[in-house]
Each structure stands twice: as C-alpha cells, then as structure tokens.
Amino acid sequence: MATVREGRMELRFPGSARVERLDQRGTPLPYGMALVDFVVEEASRSLLIEVKDPEGAPDPYREEELRSFRKKMKGNGLIHNELVPKARDSYTFLHLMKRDGKRFILVCLLGVGSPDPALLGDFKNRLLARLRQETTTAWARQYVKDCVVVTPATWASVFPNYPLNVA
C-alpha cells in the first residue's frame, strides 16, 4: 500500500496502483513546468491529483486564505493560472516519459469544508471547458478525458478504495 501526504491530507492507495509524487521538492524539473502533486497509474487510467487546502493554512492566515481561495474559485484565476497549466505540464511530462498510454483524469481535492454543491459543479464544468480549449480553437487532442472536483467530505463517495485522512 502506498501512502502519500500533501499538507494535512494523507491518501492511501492499496493494491496495484502506482503512485508517484510529481512535484517533489528538490527534484529538478524542466524550466517553466509546474506539475500536479501526484499521479496514480491504475490499470485503465491515470489520475492527476492536485491538492489545494486553504483550510490547512496556519491559524493567523486561515480565514484570509479561505476568503481568497473562494474568490479564486468563483472566478477563473485558480482554473486558468494554476490547475490547467499544472494538468497540461503534467501530461506533457508524462507524455515525454512515454507514460501516456492510459486516459487521464484530473482530480482536484479542495480542502474548503462544505462549499455549495452548485459551486463545485460549476467549477468542474469551467475547469473541463478550459482543459479542452485554452485559445480561440479547441485542442485537437483531449489530453485530459475528464475531471473530478472533490472535498474531503466527498472524496470517499468518488474514490471509496482510496482512504483519505485529514490531520
């Protein structure tokens, strides 16, 4: 069983899934690339997992972090400036390493308590639209087949075989 941690989020991956931290501190990356936190290679798909956890910020800054994060979720800053570039760069990295033979699913684990489900649904739709088209023309290849936006409270309903603990 592989266990990985990002901030206060600990994920366990039992079975045959291959898990790797892509944004390993101290590991050199190609200049200008930003990678997702983890890639989980299953038998039929690869999960690109990005953890965003403003609730994990230190106490004096937590409320400001949450306010800022919610604002970025309602707008396009988080999608355009962080999530889509990390997904694209991670895919490119894995493609160049000949590890792109399976469909890719972007998983965003958001440590934001219990946001409005409508906000999460809208966020997912905007994220997927941006993954498919970043310029005036849609990408000819849909390098990410789908995306999933979850919170710690909804994680188990989507990934019941991968336990999540929040410290």
Side-chain angles (χ1 to χ4, degrees):
M1 175 182 313
T3 302
V4 293
R5 176 180 286 279
E6 179 66 21
R8 51 187 202 122
M9 308 283 183
E10 181 184 85
L11 299 158
R12 289 181 291 158
F13 298 93
S16 61
R18 176 181 173 199
V19 181
E20 179 183 350
R21 175 178 280 282
L22 283 186
D23 72 342
Q24 184 81 358
R25 286 189 182 111
T27 301
L29 294 175
Y31 181 77
M33 273 193 165
L35 304 180
V36 296
D37 296 313
F38 309 105
V39 62
V40 179
E41 294 180 33
E42 299 174 331
S44 63
R45 66 184 183 179
S46 293
L47 305 176
L48 301 174
I49 301 177
E50 178 64 15
V51 177
K52 294 292 184 190
D53 187 23
E55 285 189 1
D59 279 334
Y61 307 104
R62 186 171 299 134
E63 286 307 314
E64 180 56 36
E65 284 284 324
L66 279 167
R67 225 179 347 269
S68 173
F69 189 81
R70 285 188 180 113
K71 184 177 179 182
K72 286 196 296 186
M73 274 187 75
K74 289 178 182 173
N76 288 320
L78 183 61
I79 291 171
H80 290 212
N81 302 327
E82 295 180 45
L83 297 176
V84 170
K86 283 186 172 196
R88 183 181 1 91
D89 288 355
S90 297
Y91 168 79
T92 301
F93 179 82
L94 293 167
H95 171 77
L96 292 171
M97 300 305 286
K98 291 188 176 183
R99 292 172 55 190
D100 64 334
K102 302 171 189 163
R103 63 190 174 107
F104 284 87
I105 309 294
L106 177 62
V107 179
C108 298
L109 174 55
L110 307 177
V112 290
S114 301
D116 177 8
L119 175 61
L120 286 181
D122 175 64
F123 186 81
K124 182 221 189 253
N125 292 338
R126 290 184 292 122
L127 175 58
L128 189 57
R130 184 68 176 183
L131 286 164
R132 301 264 162 82
Q133 182 173 344
E134 293 184 72
T135 67
T136 57
T137 305
W139 292 120
R141 292 184 196 273
Q142 291 183 0
Y143 64 98
V144 171
K145 297 302 180 197
D146 200 1
C147 64
V148 178
V149 179
V150 292
T151 65
T154 61
W155 175 270
S157 66
V158 179
F159 298 106
N161 297 327
Y162 299 150
L164 167 67
N165 293 318
V166 181

